[in-house]
Structures are given as structure tokens and as C-alpha cells.
Amino acid sequence: MATLWQGRFSTDPSQSLQALNDSLHFDQRMFPQDIAGSRAHVRMLCEVGLLADSERDEILLALDQVLAELSDGSFEFAESDEDIHTAVERRVCELAESGAKLHTGRSRNDQVATDLRLWTKGAVDGVVALVQGLQRTLLESAESVGDAHLPGYTHLQQAQPVLLAHHLLAHGWALARDVDRLVAARARLDVSPLGAGALAGSSLPLDPHMCADDLGFAGVFDNSLDAVSDRDFVAEVLFALALLGVHLSRIGEELVLWASSEFGFVALDEAFSTGSSMMPQKKNPDIAELARGKAGRLIGHLTGLLATLKGLPLTYNKDLQEDKEPLFDAVDTVQLTVSALNGMISTLEFNTDRMAEAAASPYAAATDLAEWLVSRGMPFRQAHAVVGDLVRRSIDGEGGFVELVAASDALGPDAARLAAPGVSATRRNTHGGGSPAAVAEQIRRFRALLGLDRL
Ligand code: ARG
């Protein structure tokens, strides 16, 4: 079998070596990036006088054909095609007489780092676009539910009623930080390693800047050893995706709760829920559960890669081939999850009557009643005790909470009106707070963030 190192070796590689070593089955998805990298490299080689114009043109023509074959599925892989880089180069050599010059001054070490950075830039753009779509869905839902309110929770115990719009946008802001992190990671990874060679640069007059410009990278490596061994960008993107996964999981967990008969806050669209093979009455929130479940896998990809990297001496080690599967799977997983969750949220129905009913307990206004006393001069600790005493007396059966509030010397009938269902949710006017006016302002800022309006 023809290997890239056949000059040095006299025997063929063993089957088990090949089975372990080959990465073609997962790295072939980088073929567009591999060909882009080769085109840039060939153009640079010609510029610096290492290739004649005719040789450059012949190789570029062969690369066009290889791209076409890989795109339409007619490319025939050979047993010796260890990875996508080997496969492309092998085919170029079949098609072009000067193909043997393609790998001049280049190693698969700088080549694979270049391909993966190019691939990751595109993948991040794709994920960001999907996340922004989910943010728009949350915004549209927030805008469509008006002043509907539901219990806000701490410790999963009813705390203070909040507007549904406020709750939905809370998830939108978490996603905004995910977008920021992805965009920042993308900016940091936008550096070309091409021209670093195997590890040490080259004695040939290569021009790494020319390749970087040609490929649209914002910068070029500073240290060839670092260029071929650095996978920080994979770790960073995996972290950004894992945290995004954690946010999707938290949204998923709430949807699971909200879709239960106990909460009954949402009704799922049939196209975005599943039935049971045995229990005819069931409508299950599988998408939300998978959003919750996939987070574990995403966290695993991050920790797995960090463990792979931690003991590696400079520079390239074959361990680094383990960077791609977690990254590809994390991107695929996030894309599937965000798309399905977006569909689920954009089609579900909010049962706002049920939410209002759940938030109707007069105790939900306890904090607002204490604040009412504070605004009339009472120290907060004392106010807390006054209201707490009424809560306890009501629970002990002395009377309804609202009646006790109305009869209280410190509070009285004016304050009791605060305990009417829905009223307390309208009073928290502070910046970022939950009153309708504060939420309207928040919606304005969120719309501006998504580029839908100017602030
Ligand atoms: N398939 C390899 C990878 O993904 C490409 C680089 C191989 N380099 C080497 N020195 N064997 O990392």
C-alpha cells in the first residue's frame, strides 16, 4: 500500500494500525477547507518562485476537479487515504504531473491546524445564527404574551410573581452571553498556522502572511512550534458550546416542568412532542428532555479534550487528532438541539390563565407589603417581621391573609390591595426589574441587541 512515508519503510502498515490511525471517516468533512488551504499554498509557492505559473495552474485545475468530485460524491477514496489531506494530495498527484510539488514546505501539521481553524470559523458562524434565531423566538413570545404573569421561583418554591415576558427574556440574555463568547473565541482563533511546516518553519522562502491573507485570516502565527501544537481554540469553542448546552438544558428543564399536568403552564404542539408506545394519554416533551440530556455530552467533550491536551509536550503529537470528533459532534449536537428547541418554543401555547391562577396566592405579595411599609419609613427588618407575623397567623388559621393585612394597624386596606392577584407583579419598576414598564424597556434593549431596532 502506498503510504506518505513509503521511502523510509519497507513493509506495509498493519491492519490494526490503520484502523486506529485513520481519521478519514471523520475529517473528510473538512474537504472544502483543505482545498482552500492548498489553493492558497500553491498560489504562495508560485509568488515566491517555487512553482512555475504553469505548474500552479495545473495544480489549481486539479484541485478544482478534486473539489468537484468530493462535492458530488464521485471521489473514490483509496485504502491508503489515511485522512482528508492524504486523499486530496493523492488525487492531485494522479491528475497533475506537477502535483508532487503541492506539499512543498508544508506539513500535515500546519495543514490540519489551518483546516480546522477555517472549519471552526464557519461552524461558529452557523451556531451563532441558530442561537440568534432562538433569541428572536424568545423575544417574539415575550412580546406576544403582554402582561401575563406567573409565579417566579427560588428553591422551586413560589417567590414573587413575575411577568412571563420577563422570565422568557432571562433565557434570552443568557443566550446573548453565549453569542458573545462564541464571537470572542472566533476572533481569537482567526490566526493562520499555514507556513509553520512540521514544527519549525522552512528553509524555503515561504510567505505565511500571503497564505493568511489569501485565506481571509485576520492574522498569522508568531511561533511555528505553537502554531502546530495549539488547540486552545478547540477547547474555547467547546467551552462556549458546553455552557450554551447548559443554558439549553435549563430551558429544557423548565419546559419539562411547565408541560407537566402539575404545572400545566404550556401545551406542546404535536409536531414537537412525542407519544407513548403504551400509554395512549401521553404527550411527552422529548425535545426539552434531550436539550437537558445533551448538555452532559457537551460537557464531556470539553473535559475530554482538556484531558487529551494536558500532558502533551511540544509540538504536534498524534493525540491531537482527537480534537476533531468532539468538536464536530459538539457543533452537530448544538445545531440539532437549538433548532428543535426553537421549533418547540415557537409552537407551544402558554396557558396564561393557569399561570395567573398559580401566582394568585396572596402570600406572593409578602415582600411587596414589607416594601410598602419601608416606603412609609419602617426599617426593613421590622417590616419583614410585621408581614411575617401576618403570614404565620393566617397559616395558623386566624383568617385570610388579605383580611389580616386589611385589619392590621401598620398595613390596612390600602396595603391589602397589593395582595390582589397580579398587582404585585406590576410594581417593581427598577432597572431590569419585572414591572410592565421595566420589561418594555428591557424588550427595547433586547431588540437593539439583536439588531432589530436602534437603541
Ligand atoms: N490526521 C492528522 C490529524 O488529524 C493530520 C496530521 C498528521 N500529522 C502527522 N504528523 N502524522 O491530526
Side-chain angles (χ1 to χ4, degrees), residues 23 27 82-83 85 108-109 112 316 318 320-321 324:
S23 53
D27 66 21
E82 178 183 325
D83 51 27
H85 328 292
R108 279 184 298 157
N109 298 352
V112 71
Y316 179 84
K318 198 59 177 266
L320 291 177
Q321 185 167 280
K324 284 169 227 46

Side-chain angles (χ1 to χ4, degrees), residues 57-400:
D57 294 344
E58 192 202 13
I59 299 178
L60 286 176
L61 214 59
L63 284 167
D64 288 346
Q65 179 165 340
V66 175
L67 179 64
E69 289 176 4
L70 283 161
S71 303
D72 69 16
S74 62
F75 189 96
E76 284 181 29
F77 289 104
E79 209 200 332
S80 58
D81 294 343
E82 178 183 325
D83 51 27
I84 189 62
H85 328 292
T86 321
V88 170
E89 191 190 342
R90 191 247 325 141
R91 185 75 183 122
V92 167
C93 290
E94 284 168 9
L95 295 167
E97 228 169 88
S98 40
K101 292 193 172 179
L102 166 59
H103 214 50
T104 309
R106 187 177 71 169
S107 158
R108 279 184 298 157
N109 298 352
D110 57 344
Q111 190 179 357
V112 71
T114 304
D115 292 5
L116 193 57
R117 281 175 190 260
L118 284 173
W119 185 88
T120 307
K121 281 168 62 173
V124 166
D125 291 342
V127 170
V128 164
L130 285 173
V131 174
Q132 287 170 336
L134 178 54
Q135 287 180 296
R136 276 195 297 278
T137 294
L138 289 168
L139 172 69
E140 279 157 26
S141 302
E143 288 178 326
S144 72
V145 296
D147 289 351
H149 65 279
L150 78 169
Y153 296 85
T154 60
H155 311 270
L156 201 55
Q157 305 288 320
Q158 291 192 3
Q160 293 180 287
V162 295
L163 293 198
L164 175 56
H166 194 40
H167 190 117
L168 293 170
L169 285 185
H171 291 300
W173 292 105
L175 296 175
R177 293 190 296 277
D178 293 317
V179 168
D180 273 0
R181 258 184 293 274
L182 286 164
V183 168
R186 188 196 190 283
R188 248 190 310 279
L189 75 81
D190 199 3
V191 174
S192 174
L194 197 56
L199 75 164
S202 176
S203 60
L204 298 167
L206 307 182
D207 186 346
H209 289 95
M210 201 182 286
C211 293
D213 286 348
D214 192 333
L215 289 168
F217 279 110
V220 70
F221 66 94
D222 287 299
N223 178 312
S224 62
L225 306 178
D226 183 42
V228 296
S229 63
D230 171 25
R231 294 296 184 275
D232 290 2
F233 68 101
V234 183
E236 275 198 64
V237 170
L238 284 179
F239 172 71
L241 296 177
L243 191 50
L244 167 58
V246 166
H247 293 149
L248 300 176
S249 170
R250 295 178 72 172
I251 296 173
E253 166 61 6
E254 284 190 345
L255 288 173
V256 170
L257 287 174
W258 288 11
S260 67
S261 347
E262 285 72 11
F263 275 79
F265 288 180
V266 294
L268 304 180
D269 189 273
E270 285 184 8
F272 291 92
S273 42
T274 54
S276 158
S277 56
M278 181 171 158
M279 298 167 283
Q281 84 283 12
K282 292 292 292 287
K283 195 160 114 187
N284 294 329
D286 287 33
I287 292 175
E289 293 165 75
L290 284 167
R292 201 174 51 189
K294 297 284 186 193
R297 171 181 182 136
L298 294 167
I299 294 166
H301 288 327
L302 170 65
T303 56
L305 181 82
L306 290 174
T308 298
L309 297 179
K310 74 174 273 295
L312 295 186
L314 290 176
T315 58
Y316 179 84
N317 299 272
K318 198 59 177 266
D319 315 45
L320 291 177
Q321 185 167 280
E322 290 296 304
D323 58 359
K324 284 169 227 46
E325 284 165 294
L327 180 64
F328 295 163
D329 184 72
V331 169
D332 293 346
T333 299
V334 162
Q335 287 186 336
L336 285 173
T337 309
V338 173
S339 304
L341 209 50
N342 193 349
M344 182 183 202
I345 295 173
S346 59
T347 54
L348 58 72
E349 272 176 37
F350 293 105
N351 187 346
T352 51
D353 290 344
R354 176 75 198 101
M355 290 178 181
E357 203 181 295
S361 159
Y363 298 127
T367 311
D368 303 274
L369 288 168
E371 286 176 0
W372 187 89
L373 289 170
V374 166
S375 67
R376 278 155 188 78
M378 191 183 282
F380 179 72
R381 273 292 144 238
Q382 201 182 326
H384 186 286
V386 167
V387 179
D389 180 60
L390 296 176
V391 171
R392 185 184 47 78
R393 283 167 48 197
S394 168
I395 290 169
D396 287 351
E398 253 184 63

